[in-house]
Amino acid sequence: MIRLSRRLGISLPAAVGTMELLWQWTADNLPRGDIGRSEDWEIARAVYWEGDPQELMLGLVAEAWIDAHPVHRFIIHDWSEHCEDSVH
């Protein structure tokens, strides 16, 4: 998480909050973890990102929090292993 905070130029608590918001939003809206079905700006809005949505997405990919996917564009890295029990 420290690497994500550095890459995005935000504090560690902000990075933790961003990921918690992303995981909760994904569980509520895209329980298969296929977040690339949404536009970058929608994902950015879901985590209250105030910068460039592409910057957020590139940072998440670079730090392996999300993975590029040939069909869904992006998926949460290892979502099926790490999502909360209610998603299963």
Side-chain angles (χ1 to χ4, degrees):
M1 198 74 66
I2 291 172
R3 290 178 56 177
L4 180 64
S5 70
R6 288 181 180 161
R7 181 172 297 275
L8 296 177
I10 59 178
S11 69
L12 179 58
V16 171
T18 296
M19 292 310 303
E20 287 294 331
L21 287 165
L22 179 63
W23 293 326
Q24 187 60 53
W25 176 79
T26 302
D28 291 345
N29 298 285
L30 299 160
R32 292 184 301 177
D34 52 350
I35 65 168
R37 290 179 34 210
S38 297
E39 299 291 330
D40 292 353
W41 68 266
E42 294 173 292
I43 297 165
R45 184 179 64 188
V47 301
Y48 298 89
W49 180 254
E50 295 179 352
D52 179 2
Q54 268 193 321
E55 177 187 358
L56 171 66
M57 301 308 289
L58 290 172
L60 293 170
V61 170
E63 297 304 328
W65 291 102
I66 63 174
D67 300 320
H69 191 275
V71 175
H72 303 295
R73 198 167 65 95
F74 296 116
I75 59 171
I76 300 287
H77 182 78
D78 289 340
W79 180 246
S80 61
E81 295 175 31
H82 303 296
C83 63
E84 54 189 55
D85 289 338
S86 64
V87 173
H88 291 288

